[in-house]
Amino acid sequence: MKNKMYEIIWSGNKYTNSSGRDGFVPFVIVNHISASTMSSMDSWFTSSGNAVSSAHFGVSRKGELHQYVEIERFAWANGTSLSYMSKYPAQVWIDQKYTNANYWTVSIEHEGTDGDLSEEQFQASVWLHQYIRDYIVDKWGQECYFPLDDYHVIGHFQLHSWKEFCPGIMFPWARLYETFQKETQFEEEDEMNKILDYDQWAWDELDKYLGDAYNDQTITDWKWVQAARDKTLVYKDLLLLKVLIDERRRDK
């Protein structure tokens, strides 16, 4: 999935509504349904007569991606009020003490009416969610990373009582979360197979640690010491060695 790249077409203009985030960093993605065509979205979000709404992104039935508002600014998509509070309020909104959700969210509109996404649209939306999260990390730092789960990826219906069917009764929530969970597992496995990113002093300490374990026969395979000296040891093997060495020394 991540191997496929999508082009994001800038589609906003001087009339597209947006505001500053006032120091907030976005960490929640809100899904919407357009109840219209992609061309209608493009027209409305760039109209001089539109003084009420906008969105960051739109995803067409064909899997095309349009961007109307920079992520650095908030779109007029998820403004919240206790006067029209959702029947199923998102936990994140409660935790944010019911502040205006526009400040800390990024919005995705999906072309359609009931949320039954085409396969091309679903795959493009999955990629877009990941792109948004990665863009935020690149822009504001690794400490702003957030998992794509049901806390950080929500529907408009969880913020508004009068949007109780947005992004549609057919929106594929279960499949979306399952896809993100698999991606997270893959990323974690990939990280575990990376070579240790150590400075020279740390490699020297590791060489001594494994060398001592080899000399006292706690481990018997020289390849682990050699891997440390060659700087080719991966995270997964280091964790396994640490557990093995600690358990064997404890049993002595």
Side-chain angles (χ1 to χ4, degrees):
M1 165 58 208
K2 273 198 151 183
N3 291 332
K4 181 170 181 178
M5 296 293 293
Y6 289 81
E7 178 185 9
I8 299 175
I9 300 171
W10 178 256
S11 302
N13 69 5
K14 64 180 181 179
Y15 298 117
T16 304
N17 299 306
S18 70
S19 301
R21 291 194 180 274
D22 289 348
F24 284 83
V25 175
F27 67 99
V28 173
I29 300 172
V30 183
N31 287 279
H32 298 245
I33 197 72
S34 69
S36 64
T37 63
M38 193 72 165
S39 60
S40 294
M41 253 195 289
D42 290 346
S43 178
W44 177 241
F45 289 149
T46 56
S47 171
S48 60
N50 173 9
V52 294
S53 65
S54 62
H56 287 96
F57 296 94
V59 186
S60 77
R61 298 282 296 171
K62 296 179 182 178
E64 300 160 325
L65 302 177
H66 289 188
Q67 183 170 0
Y68 308 99
V69 176
E70 296 175 338
I71 291 175
E72 288 84 351
R73 296 179 63 80
F74 79 58
W76 295 9
N78 306 312
T80 47
S81 170
L82 292 177
S83 63
Y84 45 83
M85 186 173 178
S86 170
K87 297 177 184 177
Y88 315 100
Q91 183 60 49
V92 65
W93 186 36
I94 297 172
D95 293 344
Q96 290 297 306
K97 302 187 186 304
Y98 305 107
T99 56
N100 184 348
N102 278 325
Y103 283 113
W104 38 269
T105 60
V106 176
S107 52
I108 302 176
E109 288 277 0
H110 297 82
E111 179 184 21
T113 56
D114 60 4
D116 186 14
L117 307 185
S118 69
E119 183 61 24
E120 294 84 357
Q121 191 174 26
F122 177 82
Q123 296 297 341
S125 186
V126 168
W127 182 90
L128 181 58
H129 280 76
Q130 296 167 330
Y131 167 83
I132 291 168
R133 189 267 315 280
D134 294 346
Y135 183 95
I136 290 168
V137 170
D138 288 342
K139 176 68 179 180
W140 282 285
Q142 187 62 40
E143 65 274 15
C144 296
Y145 174 91
F146 56 91
L148 297 173
D149 54 22
D150 60 2
Y151 185 87
H152 299 90
V153 177
I154 63 176
H156 197 196
F157 75 96
Q158 293 173 275
L159 298 174
H160 290 277
S161 60
W162 44 276
K163 292 290 185 179
E164 60 181 328
F165 298 115
C166 185
I169 59 175
M170 299 294 289
F171 195 80
W173 287 113
R175 184 185 179 196
L176 188 68
Y177 292 137
E178 181 181 0
T179 300
F180 291 147
Q181 185 177 30
K182 288 179 180 178
E183 287 291 334
T184 299
Q185 291 171 348
F186 174 81
E187 289 172 358
E188 289 175 350
E189 290 173 2
D190 189 51
E191 285 295 318
M192 293 298 288
N193 285 305
K194 286 184 178 180
I195 294 174
L196 296 167
D197 184 18
Y198 278 1
D199 292 330
Q200 184 57 52
W201 70 267
W203 282 111
D204 292 341
E205 288 295 317
L206 183 58
D207 182 358
K208 183 178 185 307
Y209 172 72
L210 294 177
D212 289 346
Y214 179 80
N215 290 333
D216 65 20
Q217 295 297 295
T218 303
I219 58 174
T220 58
D221 197 331
W222 177 256
K223 73 176 183 179
W224 302 120
V225 182
Q226 192 62 51
R229 294 184 177 181
D230 294 340
K231 301 179 183 177
T232 58
L233 198 67
V234 300
Y235 285 93
K236 178 179 64 177
D237 290 338
L238 176 59
L239 289 175
L240 290 174
L241 283 167
K242 183 70 168 59
V243 171
L244 180 66
I245 291 170
D246 288 350
E247 287 186 349
R248 288 182 175 176
R249 284 179 171 167
R250 194 162 44 242
D251 293 338
K252 283 185 177 181

